[in-house]
Amino acid sequence: MTKVLLATVKPFAPAAKEGMANIFKSAGFELTLLEKYPNQDDLIKAVADVDALIIRSDIVDEQVINAAENLKIVVRAGAGYDNIDLKAASAKGIVAMNTPGQNSNAVAELAFGMIIYLNRNGFNGTAGTELRGKTIGIHAYGNVGKIIGYIAKGMGMEVHAYDPYVDKVIIENDGVKSENNVKDLYKKCQYISLNLPANNETKETINYDLLSLMPKGATLVNTARKEIICEKSLLKIFKERQDFRYISDITPDCKEQIARDYAGRYFFTPKKMAAQTAEANINAGLAAATQIVNFIKKGDTTFQVNK
Ligand code: 3PG
């Protein structure tokens, strides 16, 4: 019998787990849950005899892969797969997949929730600011970026985007101004929404040169990954510019310093939670379960990321 492990430090909503259990039951697969596990060793032990693995931001490094002797497929129920050692997976012939787009709406909605919270001074009753008429720049126009643009337009914002991997026509068909140059995006937009993956190409690329270009009222919104930010630059900008603000769903390593010196100019969620909605859990969880069944039963490798 095919054994599947759902390993999530951050558990899915009950309805998502129920739906996944039903998919595996119908397929004749055995599902085991490992949730809120305190140590990486727990994951290493739990993968020993599984054929398939579903994770979220859980770390699947070389050690996990080597411990999973029967593993054939690992599915990241979500978008970013920087937590999977793809090289180690490929070396063992293990297929790695993500579930693109399934939690994007939840991420985009949280971006605006955080912006409005900070713009209204934590809802403390003092006068805040509005989004209508302001400019927003979407840095990377993927599934999340597209929804950010859609919501921003609904709020009366002027929307720009930069993505060297997306055809200009696709961006402009959405009523979004496509920028040819990343610097132009930062120069023109008060709000920048970061929607890039973390990889060798993007690590620490959000740096002083870019941030210093932003106009007055500069607000950086990160629902992507902390690794894309150059934190030295972030602190430099905070120090130099009274108007600079940083909103992030991923706590930076320099959080203590920002909290100490720049009160009212930042907001960080206590725990990464952009994709943590019942709807996103159901979408991503069911997609992951279906992808596993289709791969094991039919060899379907759609959404493979380590080809
Ligand atoms: C993703 O890459 O899909 C998001 O960052 C969500 O991550 P999570 O599943 O750990 O909440």
Side-chain angles (χ1 to χ4, degrees), residues 10 56-57 76-81 103 107 223-225 272 274-276:
K10 193 167 48 185
R56 295 184 65 177
S57 290
R76 194 284 191 237
Y81 45 87
N103 59 21
V107 178
T223 52
R225 292 289 182 270
K272 188 170 97 156
Q276 197 62 326

Side-chain angles (χ1 to χ4, degrees), residues 138-157:
I138 301 166
H139 192 162
Y141 200 71
N143 292 310
V144 178
K146 199 176 165 73
I147 302 172
I148 296 260
Y150 181 77
I151 298 173
K153 281 201 295 164
M155 291 189 143
M157 300 184 84

Side-chain angles (χ1 to χ4, degrees), residues 79 110 175 288:
L110 187 83

